[in-house]
Amino acid sequence: MSIKQNLLQIKSSLPEQVTLVAVSKTKPISDLMEAYEAGQRIFGENKIQEMTEKWEAMPKDIQWHMIGHVQTNKVKFMAPFVSLIHGVDSLKLLEEINKQALKNNRVIDCLLQIHIAEEETKFGLDKEELLTLLDSKSLSEMKNIRIVGLMGMATFTDDQNQIKKEFTYLKSIFDKMKSLQTENHELKTISMGMSGDYQLAIECGSTMVRIGSSIFGGR
């Protein structure tokens, strides 16, 4: 099946309220353009340099999502154009995004990454850290970022019950935090689910899924 067929098949299976991020990391621009021609406008990359090169070469009505772990010293390279940063897991990173967004006269949308998996290697805030961050004075003073939701990655396992438990946990945190709205933070998006588990994620309340291999084929 072609990229276009894959994409249209996945899109037709997604509920209306679910946003599809096509994970295009390591894929050549020709592949991305095939998805673009089929109507896809949101692409997810995990390396800032690669994302910047693609942004420069491709049509400007594309939304670029940074889905990988972000190093603070690289934020400046994507600040002029990035639409959404998925994996924000510290106040220090938020401060840097705010600073670079200000230099570019922009407000940059961010998702806070919550640690839901049992593996120790995954990045993310725990519930206490999230509360502390949302409550912090320094966050309330940031005018050039907007926290629009939460993101989490489930444990890499075949155990559907465990994955479901982790997704349900993230949704419960999201529901609790939704009421804590301030000027620069209003939780609307819950990003969870990838090629292997996105249907389960949607059942558990996901509004944004990140799908790569099911669109573009394996590595």
Side-chain angles (χ1 to χ4, degrees):
M1 290 225 321
S2 68
I3 290 172
K4 179 180 182 174
Q5 286 170 307
N6 290 341
L7 187 67
L8 296 178
Q9 193 178 1
I10 290 167
K11 279 196 158 166
S12 67
S13 75
L14 293 180
E16 218 179 314
Q17 77 280 6
V18 176
T19 301
L20 171 62
V21 180
V23 176
S24 49
K25 59 186 187 187
T26 74
K27 300 295 172 192
I29 286 175
S30 55
D31 283 9
L32 278 73
M33 282 309 297
E34 200 180 320
Y36 179 88
E37 299 299 343
Q40 183 63 21
R41 291 294 180 271
I42 302 176
F43 293 93
E45 293 282 333
N46 70 342
K47 300 252 184 331
I48 290 176
Q49 190 182 347
E50 186 184 338
M51 182 169 74
T52 305
E53 286 164 8
K54 288 173 175 174
W55 167 68
E56 284 168 353
M58 289 180 66
K60 292 300 174 265
D61 61 338
I62 292 172
Q63 288 185 32
W64 294 98
H65 287 201
M66 181 63 196
I67 58 172
H69 184 66
V70 180
Q71 295 165 296
T72 42
N73 62 341
K74 299 272 175 70
V75 172
K76 58 179 177 285
F77 299 113
M78 63 174 170
F81 68 91
V82 70
S83 284
L84 181 65
I85 300 175
H86 281 236
V88 178
D89 58 0
S90 70
L91 192 59
K92 183 175 153 242
L93 180 55
L94 270 179
E95 286 167 346
E96 182 61 24
I97 296 167
N98 187 65
K99 182 176 125 185
Q100 298 300 336
L102 177 61
K103 283 185 186 171
N104 286 277
N105 204 8
R106 296 186 67 214
V107 175
I108 295 178
D109 288 349
C110 300
L111 298 176
L112 294 177
Q113 183 167 357
I114 309 303
H115 187 279
I116 59 172
E118 289 193 356
E119 300 135 304
E120 281 307 300
T121 54
K122 293 269 195 312
F123 297 101
L125 304 155
D126 64 29
K127 210 166 157 181
E128 300 311 306
E129 292 168 326
L130 174 67
L131 270 171
T132 309
L133 186 111
L134 290 179
D135 212 28
S136 68
K137 185 171 184 296
S138 35
L139 176 63
S140 66
E141 289 165 354
M142 294 183 201
K143 300 283 181 258
N144 291 78
I145 53 134
R146 194 165 44 219
I147 292 169
V148 295
L150 304 179
M151 179 276 245
M153 290 165 82
T155 303
F156 192 66
T157 172
D158 291 330
D159 181 351
Q160 295 297 305
N161 288 331
Q162 180 170 353
I163 295 172
K164 187 174 181 178
K165 190 178 83 186
E166 292 168 0
F167 284 157
T168 307
Y169 174 63
L170 182 59
K171 175 74 166 76
S172 72
I173 294 179
F174 178 80
D175 290 340
K176 283 196 190 88
M177 302 299 170
K178 254 198 330 208
S179 55
L180 294 171
Q181 291 184 11
T182 62
E183 259 178 56
N184 63 1
H185 117 259
E186 182 184 351
L187 302 185
K188 295 190 288 270
T189 300
I190 176 164
S191 168
M192 55 187 188
M194 302 193 282
S195 283
D197 56 19
Y198 72 91
Q199 275 121 338
L200 182 56
I202 290 169
E203 280 169 38
C204 296
S206 175
T207 64
M208 182 176 280
V209 292
R210 304 182 298 278
I211 300 178
S213 52
S214 300
I215 297 173
F216 295 106
R219 291 272 172 271

